[in-house]
Amino acid sequence: MSAPAPTVDHGERSLEDVLRAWDGEHAELRHDHASGAWMFVCIHSTRLGPAAGGTRIGVYDSPAEGLADAMRLAAAMTRKLAVADLPFGGGKAVLAVREIPRGEKRRRLLHRYGELLDSLGGRFWTGPDMNTDEHDMDLLPYAMVRSRKGGGSGSSAPATAAGVLRGIRASLNHALGSADLQDRVVLVQGMGGVGSHLAELLVEAGARVLINDLDAARVAKVAARMPVEIVASDRVLGTQCNVFAPCAVGGILNERSIPRLRCRIVAGAANNQLATTADGERLRSRGILYAPDYVINAGGSLHGIGLAALSWSGAELDRALNRIGDTLKALYRAADEDGIPTSEAADRLAAARLAQAPERGPTTKSANVDALAPYSTNRKEQEQ
Ligand code: NAI
Ligand code: PHE
């Protein structure tokens, strides 16, 4: 890939334009004067319960681009949680920063963001996403994925990767007639929390694993630990493989990139991989099987919500992760029967689940909020 594609092409749209075009329930916008960052909390739907979704820290070309990313990610959470059968609605937060903060600056920014989450009083529950992890969640109220030291279940990335692996097996089975990974070639883009775990699981399963990241240090770290081959960023799209697993940015499957793909399957963790809905059909007409992102990457949500809000055991989480493969199989069959893109089959399933749910207004109430009480304050407050 020559350059990372934007998630959405916003042109010169303003914050106001982006807000006006949104179909979600509520957007909370803050400018953080101390750092110059923008904080966006987008609650797309509370139809199935209080909203849940990750907090992403990112550098964007404009505040409007950060807001639009949060909105699109929040809408994907609504569909993800509906398909995964979790009693939460969809939301997402973006902290649009000038540069990714570290150390004391980061701690202070998260503290101020925590005040914003507090003011929402449980209408939005969060977890990690790009550039945030379970240690950041320890500093926040209404955060479900805490570090083990912070009394939580630890990083959600291994569960996300485990879910993606099951999804890759289901996809191989559908496209190539066998779920066996031995000697299959899988290209993993993004060596962050999820991508590096996925690479490890794939190596263990006998696959030939190709890896890529914009950050050379991350690639080197993974390559030092396991037998993988490194692919340069400008070679990702043209590299022949059985499975391309995007585990970095969104919008990478688009009008320009799809004709260049040389894989049979796209199955990875990145959110909002399709730049537009038309890209689902573009993949289908090229004969590329696409695992809808919000179906295959539900493992982080199953981990966060399952363990914290639903008090699941490890075995229950494992069974829920297995269902990712089952859901994909059913979607692939439905898409084949109806002659539609797999992304459309997933959207139909999500819409049907949402339509079945009883009407409810924005609320903090859910059958499971009691179990979440310890997570509603940050770790420091709990220790006092
Ligand atoms: P992370 O922040 O730990 O890692 C992202 C990695 O992608 C970094 O190493 C970064 O250098 C790399 N990267 C960024 N742009 C790139 C590009 N254009 N080409 C190649 N590499 C690039 O993020 P994490 O948590 O691993 O998440 C990855 C993706 O999976 C994101 O889209 C996230 O929204 C999604 N996801 C994450 C879940 C989780 O549990 N962490 C759950 C579900 C989805
Ligand atoms: N990043 C996760 C996702 O996109 C967000 C998440 C993690 C939400 C854990 C809730 C709990 O699915």
Side-chain angles (χ1 to χ4, degrees):
M1 194 165 65
S2 44
T7 304
V8 185
D9 180 8
H10 307 296
E12 294 296 311
R13 283 195 298 171
S14 66
L15 285 173
E16 201 181 320
D17 295 333
V18 175
L19 274 169
R20 218 180 262 132
W22 198 41
D23 68 343
E25 287 176 13
H26 182 88
E28 196 79 21
L29 281 65
R30 289 280 160 88
H31 182 254
D32 181 49
H33 298 291
S35 66
W38 283 86
M39 300 177 182
F40 303 117
V41 177
C42 296
I43 296 177
H44 179 256
S45 166
T46 55
R47 185 145 184 138
L48 298 176
T55 294
R56 173 175 290 201
I57 300 183
V59 178
Y60 293 85
D61 288 344
S62 69
E65 196 181 323
L67 175 63
D69 200 24
M71 288 177 165
R72 200 158 176 250
L73 289 162
M77 285 305 299
T78 298
R79 295 191 285 269
K80 181 182 314 193
L81 301 179
V83 169
D85 222 356
L86 289 167
F88 281 79
K92 204 89 177 191
V94 162
L95 306 185
V97 294
R98 290 175 182 155
E99 60 179 344
I100 307 296
R102 312 265 171 227
E104 190 52 24
K105 275 190 185 162
R106 184 181 185 95
R107 209 187 57 77
R108 287 211 202 109
L109 176 69
L110 289 171
H111 178 75
R112 293 189 295 272
Y113 169 54
E115 289 173 349
L116 170 55
L117 291 179
D118 245 337
S119 74
L120 294 172
R123 289 174 66 198
F124 175 64
W125 287 83
T126 199
D129 198 78
M130 276 186 86
N131 291 315
T132 59
D133 64 17
E134 67 278 15
H135 304 289
D136 297 314
M137 297 303 119
D138 285 348
L139 303 174
L140 299 174
Y142 300 105
M144 290 192 258
V145 180
R146 298 276 166 87
S147 70
R148 288 189 196 278
K149 210 173 148 203
S153 51
S155 169
S156 58
T160 305
V164 172
L165 184 77
R166 282 143 162 105
I168 288 176
R169 285 192 186 280
S171 307
L172 282 168
N173 199 40
H174 187 83
L176 303 174
S178 163
D180 193 356
L181 273 153
Q182 190 66 42
D183 299 328
R184 294 289 188 203
V185 183
V186 185
L187 167 52
V188 186
Q189 181 188 44
M191 285 295 109
V194 179
S196 59
H197 271 99
L198 179 62
E200 193 171 345
L201 295 175
L202 290 164
V203 167
E204 277 168 20
R208 190 179 141 215
V209 181
L210 316 180
I211 64 166
N212 164 265
D213 198 294
L214 289 182
D215 182 339
R218 290 203 175 196
V219 169
K221 204 169 150 197
V222 175
R225 283 198 294 127
M226 58 189 103
V228 290
E229 294 157 53
I230 298 169
V231 175
S233 288
D234 60 355
R235 304 285 299 276
V236 166
L237 290 178
T239 295
Q240 182 112 39
C241 53
N242 298 114
V243 183
F244 173 42
C247 294
V249 282
I252 63 144
L253 303 172
N254 55 51
E255 210 178 348
R256 297 173 309 283
S257 65
I258 291 170
R260 297 176 58 201
L261 289 173
R262 292 180 69 205
C263 58
R264 175 70 181 85
I265 294 164
V266 176
N271 277 303
N272 292 345
Q273 292 171 34
L274 303 180
T276 67
T277 46
D279 295 309
E281 179 54 35
R282 283 196 182 96
L283 287 165
R284 191 177 93 93
S285 58
R286 275 216 54 205
I288 296 173
L289 182 66
Y290 171 62
D293 46 13
Y294 62 81
V295 181
I296 193 172
N297 75 10
S301 300
L302 291 166
H303 167 102
I305 294 173
L307 299 181
L310 308 179
S311 309
W312 282 353
S313 64
E316 282 171 300
L317 173 60
D318 203 52
R319 280 197 291 278
L321 292 173
N322 280 336
R323 287 198 290 274
I324 291 176
D326 301 338
T327 303
L328 284 172
K329 274 183 214 161
L331 287 175
Y332 293 156
R333 271 199 305 270
D336 284 350
E337 277 165 21
D338 295 347
I340 56 171
T342 55
S343 50
E344 195 180 324
D347 289 350
R348 285 185 186 176
L349 177 61
R353 291 263 167 91
L354 286 161
Q356 280 160 15
E359 194 77 56
R360 54 189 295 163
T363 177
T364 59
K365 294 272 182 294
S366 147
N368 315 293
V369 153
D370 286 350
L372 282 170
Y375 297 88
S376 64
T377 55
N378 67 29
R379 194 178 147 229
K380 213 164 155 208
E381 282 169 26
Q382 282 171 26
E383 281 167 356
Q384 282 165 359

